Amino acid sequence: MDKKQLQEARTNPDFLKYLEETRVDAINTKNISALYEVLDSFLILDLDEEKINEIYQNILQISFENVEEIIKKRKLNLEDDDLYFTRAFYEHAIERWSYENLQGAKELLFVLSNIVDDEKLCKGLQSHIIALSKGIDLDTFYEKEVDLSNTNDEEKYGYFITNFIYNLNEHINNNTDILEKEYKELKHLLGN
């Protein structure tokens, strides 16, 4: 969207009414995909920050309400609502990392890496865990490890960091000891 289209969307009463109705309905029905649709619209249009925070908090609440069932009964795939649950866990972990809560971020990413059934994402998450285990802050991780020039071929990976400046398989193999140590220390989070 160009600036003119964004301004038209921001001031279109029918669209704003639709967005508000969708927001209220999605919160009431705990529809995570609709909440993300509304959140993304609010962010793109730079709308009410309080409502953005409320939508995000509802997304987190819905995700964490479902985490116990997911851990015990199944794995997440990157389709439909599972993609949005995965995105919520990931974004919350990155948010913790950005606030320098390395342990909290590492715990969330560890759980996520063990409940997602997607090899590419799991390997990417392992790279995150290695960096967190080494005490690397988020800015340094972006600057020194993430390949920002490479975009993801598949849309489902667009919400996650999965492209690195190094060969990911080699990086994981070279840091197996770190991953094994973290697994021993954090496996209790999986309820096993």
Side-chain angles (χ1 to χ4, degrees):
M1 293 180 103
D2 63 24
K3 287 183 180 184
K4 183 179 177 186
Q5 291 171 318
L6 284 172
Q7 187 57 31
E8 286 175 10
R10 277 187 202 105
T11 57
N12 181 325
D14 292 332
F15 179 70
L16 294 175
K17 181 181 176 196
Y18 162 78
L19 211 52
E20 181 61 17
E21 289 170 354
T22 304
R23 181 187 73 80
V24 170
D25 182 60
I27 289 170
N28 290 334
T29 60
K30 298 186 177 195
N31 183 334
I32 194 164
S33 60
L35 280 167
Y36 260 118
E37 178 186 322
V38 171
L39 177 66
D40 290 343
S41 296
F42 268 72
L43 290 170
I44 290 168
L45 298 175
D46 197 25
L47 296 176
D48 188 337
E49 191 171 328
E50 267 187 49
K51 286 186 180 176
I52 289 171
N53 291 332
E54 178 195 17
I55 295 163
Y56 184 63
Q57 290 307 314
N58 275 279
I59 287 169
L60 291 177
Q61 181 182 349
I62 292 165
S63 297
F64 285 101
E65 284 173 1
N66 287 287
V67 73
E68 188 174 332
E69 178 259 331
I70 292 166
I71 288 174
K72 290 183 178 182
K73 296 183 180 176
R74 66 185 184 93
K75 294 245 184 189
L76 293 170
N77 59 48
L78 296 183
E79 297 173 10
D80 304 318
D81 283 355
D82 279 6
L83 174 61
Y84 297 108
F85 289 133
T86 305
R87 179 180 168 187
F89 291 135
Y90 182 79
E91 289 173 347
H92 191 57
I94 296 300
E95 181 181 32
R96 284 189 176 192
W97 198 351
S98 73
Y99 289 120
E100 298 182 15
N101 180 349
L102 303 184
Q103 184 64 28
K106 183 171 52 174
E107 289 172 357
L108 281 169
L109 292 169
F110 172 80
V111 170
L112 186 58
S113 71
N114 282 278
I115 63 172
V116 170
D117 186 19
D118 186 276
E119 184 178 2
K120 180 176 182 172
L121 181 56
C122 285
K123 286 183 177 184
L125 294 172
Q126 288 175 340
S127 183
H128 291 57
I129 293 166
I130 292 165
L132 285 160
S133 183
K134 292 179 177 181
I136 296 172
D137 66 80
L138 185 59
D139 289 337
T140 303
F141 179 69
Y142 275 117
E143 291 168 15
K144 307 246 178 182
E145 298 192 30
V146 177
D147 183 354
L148 298 172
S149 66
N150 194 354
T151 58
N152 286 305
D153 295 336
E154 294 180 68
E155 185 178 333
K156 67 183 179 181
Y157 296 114
Y159 304 109
F160 314 104
I161 298 170
T162 57
N163 296 318
F164 301 92
I165 60 170
Y166 42 73
N167 179 296
L168 188 54
N169 290 327
E170 287 178 17
H171 182 68
I172 290 169
N173 287 337
N174 293 337
N175 290 283
T176 303
D177 56 330
I178 291 173
L179 292 171
E180 287 173 358
K181 176 182 147 286
E182 293 298 345
Y183 185 83
K184 284 177 186 170
E185 291 179 11
L186 300 175
K187 68 181 178 183
H188 68 279
L189 298 171
L190 303 174
N192 298 338

